[in-house]
Amino acid sequence: MSVLAYLIPVALFLGGISLIAFLWALRSGQYEDLDGAAQRILLDGEETGDKPAIR
Amino acid sequence: MSCCAPGSEDLALGLQAPPSDEEVAFAARDMGDGTRQVELSVPNVHCAACIHTVESALARLDTVERARVNLSSKRVSVRWRGDALPPIVSTLSSLGYPPHLFDDAQDGKDPVLSELLRAVAVSGFAAGNIMLLSVSVWSGAEGATRDLFHWVSALLALPALAVAGIIYYRSAWNALRHGRMNMDVPIAIGITMAYALSIYDTWHSGAHAYFDASVTLLFFLLIGRTLDHVMRNKARAAVANLARMAPRGALVLFDDGTRDYRPIGEVQPGTKLLVGAGERIPVDARVVHGASDIDCSLVNGESAPQPVAAGAEVHAGALNLTGPLTLEAVRAASSSFLAEMIRLMEATEGGRARYRRIADRVSAMYAPVVHLTALVAFIGWMLTGADWHQAITIAIAVLIITCPCALGLAVPMVQVVAARRLFENGIMVKDGSALERLAEADSAIFDKTGTLTLGQPRLTNMHEIPPRLLDVAQALASHSRHPLSQAIAQQARRSTSATFDDVSELPGFGMEARTGGIVWRLGRASWAASASEENGTVLTRNGDIVARFTFADEIRPGARSTIDTLKKRLRRVEMLSGDAEPACRQVAEELGFDHWRSNLLPADKVSRIEELSGNGHKVMMVGDGLNDAPALGAAHVSLAPASAADIGRNAADFVFLHGNLSAVTTAMDVALRAGQLIRQNLGIAIIYNLIAVPIAILGYVTPLVAAIAMSGSSILVISNALRLMRMGITEKRVAPKATKPATEPLRA
């Protein structure tokens, strides 16, 4: 049963990391435009949101 | 953008010009670091190519720092350096994405949604891990291992209760403090008691702990709550994205000839204002200079545009159609017609204020019964000689197993699915109680202008006019914004060859053009053929009438069939209009209204609704104008088209974006079906409780049984709700008539 001493903390740690990752993504506004995110993958080239180099 | 069909939200834009640069600059926020930012709604943005076009075109403007499209909310936020506004509006309009300002208190972020998502994440994490440990306990972990698992579970459950539970504690406390009962009260009590008992048992190395039950319950309920919120938000944002109609400021003309854009609150009686063609009148005012035609359809329901000249009084909210006007404010904004309507709305207590939602009514009955049952179980077991720990365990098992879960999901899940169903059909619903109220409606009241009709005139005698003259009329009309001109220009739709040397518009009268020695005039008969005593619209050639045009307000598509259906289903269907009697009679006869009234003031509409409510009717009001807003507020449930005035849209429970009036029956169908499913779900929850409660009282409920019972009932309730997705809507939405090619994006 001593294996539990590793496994439980490991499981919780990994789960916790994904939880923190989600909360971070939420806070940085990545869930604010889901439709847009799905479409933006089709845009090639540099990110257009910030000032692009004039082509 | 050839790839994108323009949304029918365009209907709402109508004749209104895009916001002026002054208005946009006024709406901008100072970001503090020398930049300013504004958010504009761009309903025509539909795909990746649109995003690219808009963002790169805006970013190419000199002072623009950042332009970002949000496709979900169909908005673009633009940030620029310095005080001068870059030509955002003209750039977007020329690309075929006419922007407009929208009405939204919050700027993009939604704190409630963030809180809910955070709560779902935390409770999901806790529920998953606790379930993992619980499965080990159920499959036979014993002694120190079991205690360890229980302690870890207790630790995991704590943040879930703190972050996620707080939502329920807050809502439950709010309800209790106001002496009401809602679904969140039994939920809050259930999860807290379960947690406290489990901590006690874990402390004493007990065999059973209910951490999993209390956290999983939270997790499931939060999912339902979040979906509910997302759906409502989506609907609310779609409504908020519609063009703002009431101006927030006015172009003030000072005595020394300078002009400045000022917030509307600073406009005092006596202030001189400039209002261009295509703009709305900001406050009640008198015309000082200029002549124009005024469209009052949103204000008082009058369908025909009114000519105005110096000395005429105009109401706030009316649309200036043809010529620029210099006005002198008669009343400040706080006492103008719009403000009067808002006061009238506040004075009428709507039917919805007295309405209690089904879920609240059920929980008001359910909570005392459950808590009483738990108490009886506790006393019963004490009397039979059980120790108090066992008695409490059983009492709490009763609280948990009666499962606010199925009940808590029963209503919102159906409403989420219903709202989604309506959303797909272009109908936005404000909240769940609106669906319940719509299902109860037994009489309907319609406004005329803008609701039963499109508020746009249609040429009725086109076939009587010789093609050659129609060509001339169309060519003339295409130079004007006047609704009658636009009707001629759009309906004729010929490739006209007529060209003129000189075309001019005389606001309030009509169009004049010269070609060679001939003077063509299209407009008011008394002007075009100067000596004429006739009324109406004519085309004259050197002063002789050569063609007469007759117009009628176009009936909204689907109106006839909708009224027919409603007459069969409801006890009473009426039309109440502020327009003149002949116009009302014509529409009433065409649509088959048995009961109708004309020339009504806003207060008359309200009193008619109150009269009907007094006789036990549940009134559904469908209207769009400023003058309908109080009636929309007073009715049991209300619907408004997207083209409605701002306050009308805000007062209405449902807003339909498509031009077709069949939205009314569609909404009713969905609401009725949703009502059925809600009652079925409540039935399922009750049957489930009838089985589960005796088991709990007899003391056979272990955490495993509780987990299975709760998930089972939740899944049952959710799948029943999903049946709404498969419901066939009898009348498929007919594509709205393409009345607005003008707003179609111009190029790809």
Side-chain angles (χ1 to χ4, degrees):
Chain A
M1 277 298 169
S2 63
V3 68
L4 286 176
Y6 304 109
L7 284 182
I8 292 177
V10 166
L12 292 182
F13 177 70
L14 291 177
I17 286 183
S18 42
L19 179 65
I20 290 167
F22 174 78
L23 292 178
W24 167 76
L26 187 64
R27 187 166 303 191
S28 65
Q30 299 187 35
Y31 285 83
E32 264 154 40
D33 183 13
L34 295 174
D35 295 346
Q39 293 281 344
R40 273 171 200 278
I41 196 171
L42 299 172
L43 297 177
D44 44 26
E46 69 280 39
E47 184 71 12
T48 51
D50 295 312
K51 192 114 187 166
I54 306 286
R55 278 152 294 178
Chain B
M1 282 301 120
S2 53
C3 62
C4 306
S8 39
E9 300 94 308
D10 302 349
L11 275 177
L13 285 170
L15 300 163
Q16 202 164 5
S20 66
D21 279 350
E22 288 94 351
E23 214 174 338
V24 174
F26 181 62
R29 277 173 302 148
D30 198 338
M31 303 303 284
D33 53 350
T35 60
R36 295 174 152 283
Q37 180 167 333
V38 74
E39 302 230 356
L40 294 166
S41 164
V42 271
N44 286 351
V45 166
H46 286 272
C47 63
C50 305
I51 297 179
H52 182 74
T53 316
V54 168
E55 287 185 349
S56 52
L58 286 176
R60 236 175 270 136
L61 297 177
D62 254 347
T63 53
V64 171
E65 293 255 306
R66 185 175 170 279
R68 180 92 182 171
V69 173
N70 185 323
L71 188 64
S72 317
S73 57
K74 299 223 183 338
R75 290 174 187 175
V76 59
S77 77
V78 188
R79 188 187 289 199
W80 68 91
R81 259 175 290 118
D83 290 332
L85 180 79
I88 301 172
V89 176
S90 53
T91 308
L92 287 175
S93 301
S94 69
L95 287 171
Y97 299 98
H100 51 75
L101 289 165
F102 55 89
D103 226 343
D104 201 358
Q106 39 171 280
D107 49 342
K109 303 247 183 206
D110 180 0
V112 180
L113 182 63
S114 299
E115 189 188 14
L116 281 172
L117 282 176
R118 201 181 320 131
V120 169
V122 172
S123 60
F125 166 74
N129 283 289
I130 293 176
M131 207 40 99
L132 200 72
L133 297 168
S134 300
V135 170
S136 324
V137 174
W138 298 334
S139 37
E142 277 186 335
T145 317
R146 185 183 62 204
D147 285 353
L148 173 70
F149 284 180
H150 280 168
W151 278 120
V152 175
S153 301
L155 216 62
L156 283 168
L158 206 58
L161 245 53
V163 175
I166 189 85
I167 294 172
Y168 288 89
Y169 294 139
R170 211 163 40 207
S171 155
W173 171 240
N174 255 334
L176 286 179
R177 211 180 39 179
H178 294 103
R180 285 180 289 114
M181 181 57 100
N182 65 13
M183 217 57 198
D184 297 336
V185 177
I187 293 170
I189 293 178
I191 54 176
T192 317
M193 296 280 273
Y195 186 76
L197 176 83
S198 306
I199 288 278
Y200 176 88
D201 272 338
T202 306
W203 188 267
H204 291 94
S205 301
H208 299 308
Y210 291 93
F211 296 117
D212 55 341
S214 99
V215 176
T216 317
L217 182 62
L218 262 183
F219 181 48
F220 280 177
L221 290 173
L222 276 168
I223 291 176
R225 210 183 180 96
T226 309
L227 285 178
D228 191 47
H229 183 82
V230 168
M231 205 54 238
R232 261 190 292 145
N233 234 10
K234 219 170 160 182
R236 199 188 49 78
V239 173
N241 263 355
L242 298 170
R244 188 161 83 192
M245 301 215 179
R248 287 297 160 81
L251 197 56
V252 174
L253 183 67
F254 295 102
D255 290 336
D256 57 1
T258 54
R259 46 187 74 178
D260 192 16
Y261 199 79
R262 288 297 173 82
I264 202 162
E266 287 182 18
V267 175
Q268 295 300 321
T271 311
K272 295 265 198 313
L273 308 170
L274 292 173
V275 176
E279 293 181 358
R280 287 200 182 264
I281 312 281
V283 294
D284 293 357
R286 189 183 314 111
V287 179
V288 183
H289 290 301
S292 180
D293 296 88
I294 296 287
D295 176 5
C296 295
S297 57
L298 264 191
V299 179
N300 55 12
E302 255 172 62
S303 45
Q306 304 295 312
V308 292
E313 290 236 359
V314 288
H315 275 312
L319 181 61
N320 180 18
L321 291 169
T322 41
L325 291 173
T326 308
L327 305 174
E328 184 183 295
V330 184
R331 272 179 284 274
S334 57
S335 51
S336 71
F337 184 71
L338 173 64
E340 224 171 275
M341 288 303 106
I342 293 173
R343 263 194 297 282
L344 190 53
M345 248 161 93
E346 283 164 356
T348 18
E349 191 206 352
R352 65 198 72 182
R354 289 186 299 271
Y355 184 80
R356 291 179 68 226
R357 297 186 305 162
I358 291 179
D360 291 343
R361 273 180 284 168
V362 169
S363 65
M365 289 183 290
Y366 157 91
V369 171
V370 167
H371 292 154
L372 213 63
T373 316
L375 190 68
V376 169
F378 173 73
I379 295 172
W381 277 87
M382 287 296 269
L383 289 180
T384 57
D387 65 273
W388 70 269
H389 173 255
Q390 194 189 359
I392 284 188
T393 308
I394 285 170
I396 289 175
V398 170
L399 279 187
I400 298 175
I401 200 90
T402 46
C403 193
C405 200
L407 273 178
L409 288 175
V411 180
M413 271 320 285
V414 175
Q415 289 175 344
V416 168
V417 180
R420 190 181 159 77
R421 193 70 209 259
L422 290 174
F423 192 88
E424 284 166 359
N425 285 275
I427 305 165
M428 308 294 132
V429 53
K430 295 273 178 63
D431 62 9
S433 92
L435 281 168
E436 296 171 17
R437 283 183 275 120
L438 182 59
E440 287 183 357
D442 63 359
S443 38
I445 290 183
F446 287 86
D447 168 48
K448 182 181 77 71
T449 317
T451 305
L452 291 170
T453 68
L454 285 173
Q456 290 162 357
R458 183 173 45 101
L459 185 59
T460 48
N461 64 338
M462 194 164 73
H463 55 275
E464 293 171 9
I465 299 166
R468 196 177 50 81
L469 293 173
L470 196 59
D471 268 2
V472 176
Q474 186 201 354
L476 266 171
S478 60
H479 289 92
S480 167
R481 296 179 63 89
H482 193 284
L484 297 185
S485 299
Q486 298 224 328
I488 296 176
Q490 279 175 20
Q491 271 179 275
R493 280 187 193 263
R494 302 162 61 89
S495 51
T496 175
S497 52
T499 49
F500 307 109
D501 302 332
D502 166 38
V503 182
S504 60
E505 176 162 24
L506 275 90
F509 298 105
M511 308 290 299
E512 184 179 86
R514 289 161 198 283
T515 170
I518 305 169
V519 178
W520 294 98
R521 280 179 169 183
L522 173 68
R524 208 166 290 285
S526 54
W527 162 77
S530 359
S532 170
E533 293 291 304
E534 267 186 82
N535 287 319
T537 307
V538 297
L539 178 69
T540 62
R541 187 173 182 272
N542 290 336
D544 301 323
I545 297 177
V546 288
R548 291 181 175 79
F549 300 89
T550 57
F551 297 92
D553 198 354
E554 187 168 2
I555 300 286
R556 194 177 273 274
R560 173 87 218 203
S561 59
T562 304
I563 302 301
D564 284 348
T565 317
L566 289 182
K567 277 208 296 198
K568 276 180 221 123
R569 279 204 213 162
L570 302 178
R571 289 163 61 191
R572 206 172 169 88
V573 182
E574 292 187 13
M575 179 176 91
L576 301 180
S577 175
D579 203 357
E581 201 254 344
C584 291
R585 177 178 301 280
Q586 193 192 351
V587 172
E589 278 170 6
E590 188 165 345
L591 293 177
F593 275 101
D594 302 325
H595 310 280
W596 55 275
R597 299 179 186 190
S598 57
N599 284 319
L600 294 181
L601 294 174
D604 297 338
K605 295 194 182 190
V606 174
S607 59
R608 176 63 186 151
I609 288 178
E610 282 171 346
E611 188 186 325
L612 283 173
S613 316
N615 295 339
H617 287 268
K618 305 264 195 230
V619 183
M620 164 174 76
M621 171 81 200
V622 190
D624 75 320
L626 277 177
N627 60 337
D628 295 316
L632 290 170
H636 190 60
V637 61
S638 49
L639 293 84
S643 52
D646 302 315
I647 57 165
R649 259 163 9 205
N650 291 340
D653 297 303
F654 297 81
V655 176
F656 50 98
L657 300 185
H658 299 302
N660 201 309
L661 200 64
S662 67
V664 176
T665 41
T666 308
M668 284 194 87
D669 287 343
V670 173
L672 286 172
R673 180 79 178 125
Q676 266 174 19
L677 286 174
I678 285 174
R679 278 189 290 278
Q680 282 175 13
N681 269 353
L682 292 175
I684 292 175
I686 288 171
I687 292 171
Y688 157 83
N689 275 331
L690 287 181
I691 301 169
V693 169
I695 300 176
I697 291 181
L698 294 177
Y700 292 118
V701 170
T702 60
L704 175 60
V705 174
I708 292 172
M710 280 191 340
S711 339
S713 65
S714 302
I715 289 169
L716 208 61
V717 164
I718 292 172
S719 8
N720 194 39
L722 287 177
R723 293 203 303 151
L724 192 58
M725 281 317 266
R726 290 208 310 272
M727 161 197 164
I729 287 182
T730 40
E731 205 172 343
K732 280 277 172 237
R733 170 171 65 78
V734 186
K737 266 194 182 169
T739 46
K740 280 276 149 316
T743 55
E744 216 160 69
L746 298 176
R747 61 193 173 86

